[in-house]
């Protein structure tokens, strides 16, 4: 997994979704399966963009369904 952005994504998700603790085995689960609602997804993506300086276009954001996909997108666009 792309270690460069791993911590930023995990921290953003855990900071914006009360009570959620992510582990490596949950990285491939969809955000919906993790209990992340659409508002939380938006907050997570804004947080990630602010922390990394990488813009996630709205049409691309709709395709990022798992924490692993968010990390891969960041790595590809760094």
């Amino acid at each position: 997994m792309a270690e460069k952005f791993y911590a930023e994504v995990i921290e953003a998700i855990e900071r914006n979704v009360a009570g959620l603790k992510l582990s490596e085995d949950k990285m491939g689960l969809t955000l919906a399966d993790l209990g992340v609602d659409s508002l939380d997804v938006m907050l997570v993506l804004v947080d990630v963009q602010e922390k990394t300086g990488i813009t996630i276009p709205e049409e691309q954001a709709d395709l990022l369904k798992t924490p692993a996909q968010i990390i891969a997108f960041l790595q590809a666009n760094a």
Side-chain angles (χ1 to χ4, degrees), residues 1 9 26-29 65-73:
M1 182 150 315
V9 171
K26 294 181 181 177
M27 298 304 290
L29 295 176
K65 303 293 184 193
T66 69
Q69 289 175 337
I70 296 170
I71 294 167
F73 175 85

Side-chain angles (χ1 to χ4, degrees), residues 13-74:
I13 293 171
E14 289 180 350
R15 184 174 29 255
N16 289 288
V17 183
L20 180 61
K21 296 293 179 206
L22 287 178
S23 57
E24 185 71 31
D25 62 323
K26 294 181 181 177
M27 298 304 290
L29 295 176
T30 67
L31 295 170
D33 288 340
L34 293 170
V36 182
D37 66 27
S38 58
L39 176 59
D40 289 335
V41 170
M42 184 175 56
L43 294 172
V44 166
L45 294 179
V46 167
D47 197 1
V48 167
Q49 290 178 93
E50 288 174 356
K51 294 286 185 190
T52 64
I54 298 171
T55 300
I56 303 172
E58 187 175 335
E59 62 275 0
Q60 184 64 39
D62 293 338
L63 302 174
L64 301 176
K65 303 293 184 193
T66 69
Q69 289 175 337
I70 296 170
I71 294 167
F73 175 85
L74 296 171

